[in-house]
Amino acid sequence: MATESSPSPQGTALVTGATSGIGAEFARQLAHDGYDLVLVARDRTRLDAVAVELREAAHVAVEVIAADLTNSTERDEVERRLKSATDPITFLVNNAGYGLPQEFERNSVDDEARMLEILAIVPLRLSHAVLGGMLSRESGTVLNVASIAGEAPLGLYAAAKAWPLSFSRWANAHYRSRGVTFTALAPGFVRTEFHSRLGIERSSIAPKWMWLDVEFVVRSALRSAGRGRAVSIPSLRYKILWSVMKVAQPLIMVFVARAGRASNTPTR
Ligand SMILES: NC(=O)c1ccc[n+]([C@@H]2O[C@H](COP(=O)([O-])OP(=O)(O)OC[C@H]3O[C@@H](n4cnc5c(N)ncnc54)[C@H](OP(=O)(O)O)[C@@H]3O)[C@@H](O)[C@H]2O)c1
């Protein structure tokens, strides 16, 4: 059991977006694997509730940092924690994120820029903050939550999710021989709060078989990260879809162009 005076032999994992969905599940599974935790999200009440649950259930030490990661002053505290040499972070999960409900041209440019920031700039900054210490210890794991959408030209969310995929592929190849691995988790649809926050009914965007269970997704991701894989795609059905998407890129472009023309057609 880890206590403040006896840190966990596994080390400490910092998880962003730990109040719900994929991030909360990462926190649960990492705690049960013996990691002490630092949990980050905006909602302090929910962070405290997850912390209480995990201290009791898994007997690990849990700190919370309430921060909006798109606010540079609040994010500074998280970057400082990631750089700590006395209580090092051995596992970073860049997970916090959200989508926007409207088409690109209808959203304000500031909202679009903030989404790009949480999905790409924040993982860049947090990975950079933790990397120096991990390299000096020749050990560490960074897990970036991307999306299968990042492999296709499917809007601004997908474009932002292409960043953690490409970054993790490069960083894993570059740093793995020095003891630090990077893995991008690229799931399909997962049952979390993501879609309800957008005001979207799950059944309206995808059939039941396309929805993955969060517990399964996180278990697959941790297995891939443990094996030092650059990309984790949970479930056979999405592995097949991933291969099809790569081959079908030109067809997807035709579909996207047609959909664009249709939405530009005035309706009377
Ligand atoms: N669900 C899916 O189908 C799916 C598929 C592929 C990829 N993903 C990705 O998975 C990640 C997690 O999403 P989820 O599905 O688990 O959704 P979720 O249940 O809505 O969780 C999102 C988490 O991010 C936190 N968060 C959002 N904005 C933040 C900010 N500015 N600063 C700090 N924390 C912030 C939220 O906490 P607070 O509100 O307390 O800040 C929450 O803990 C996202 O990156 C998402 O893009 C989801």
Side-chain angles (χ1 to χ4, degrees):
M1 170 169 55
T3 64
E4 276 176 36
S5 53
S6 70
S8 155
Q10 297 282 59
T12 302
L14 186 145
V15 182
T16 70
T19 48
S20 70
I22 296 172
E25 186 61 26
F26 267 117
R28 260 176 222 117
Q29 292 193 24
L30 286 165
H32 286 286
D33 287 348
Y35 283 88
D36 289 334
L37 292 172
V38 182
L39 308 179
V40 181
R42 291 166 298 187
D43 187 330
R44 177 174 288 281
T45 308
R46 291 187 78 181
L47 278 173
D48 287 338
V50 178
V52 167
E53 175 202 323
L54 295 182
R55 283 184 200 114
E56 280 174 12
H59 309 292
V60 293
V62 186
E63 303 165 42
V64 302
I65 303 178
D68 180 340
L69 289 164
T70 61
N71 176 313
S72 61
T73 312
E74 294 180 21
R75 190 176 57 226
D76 277 351
E77 189 184 346
V78 181
E79 291 185 34
R80 270 197 305 278
R81 182 63 188 85
L82 286 164
K83 289 177 182 169
S84 168
T86 48
D87 190 0
I89 299 298
T90 57
F91 199 126
L92 166 64
V93 183
N94 279 310
N95 162 77
Y98 55 82
L100 293 173
Q102 307 190 92
E103 292 269 349
F104 173 56
E105 76 279 10
R106 292 179 187 233
N107 291 320
S108 81
V109 71
D110 289 337
D111 284 347
E112 288 286 350
R114 244 189 312 276
M115 182 181 74
L116 183 62
E117 186 172 6
I118 190 76
L119 298 181
I121 304 297
V122 168
L124 176 156
R125 296 196 73 101
L126 302 194
S127 298
H128 193 272
V130 84
L131 184 60
M134 285 182 170
L135 287 174
S136 67
R137 295 186 298 276
E138 297 182 357
S139 168
T141 306
V142 178
L143 208 154
N144 293 312
V145 179
S147 166
I148 197 168
E151 202 73 321
L154 292 171
L156 269 286
Y157 174 80
K161 286 296 191 186
W163 191 88
L165 268 175
S166 181
F167 172 69
S168 303
R169 283 184 173 123
W170 165 78
N172 198 49
H174 195 69
Y175 292 113
R176 199 179 154 169
S177 61
R178 295 170 66 187
V180 182
T181 63
F182 285 74
T183 301
L185 166 61
F189 294 112
V190 191
R191 290 183 207 93
T192 66
E193 293 179 16
F194 184 91
H195 300 92
S196 59
R197 286 182 197 242
L198 289 170
I200 300 174
E201 267 296 317
R202 275 190 209 138
S203 55
S204 71
I205 46 170
K208 243 183 180 170
W209 66 266
M210 291 190 85
W211 289 92
L212 299 172
D213 181 45
V214 70
E215 193 270 336
F216 166 76
V217 167
V218 169
R219 198 160 297 290
S220 305
L222 290 176
R223 201 180 312 120
S224 299
R227 292 175 181 162
R229 300 253 162 87
V231 180
S232 173
I233 304 162
S235 90
L236 180 62
R237 71 202 104 138
Y238 275 104
K239 284 189 177 78
I240 294 169
L241 189 62
W242 175 275
S243 311
V244 172
M245 274 164 72
K246 283 192 164 181
V247 178
Q249 285 267 353
L251 286 175
I252 295 175
M253 291 309 298
V254 171
F255 173 78
V256 169
R258 284 205 180 132
R261 275 199 297 278
S263 71
N264 289 336
T265 308
T267 49
R268 288 170 205 258

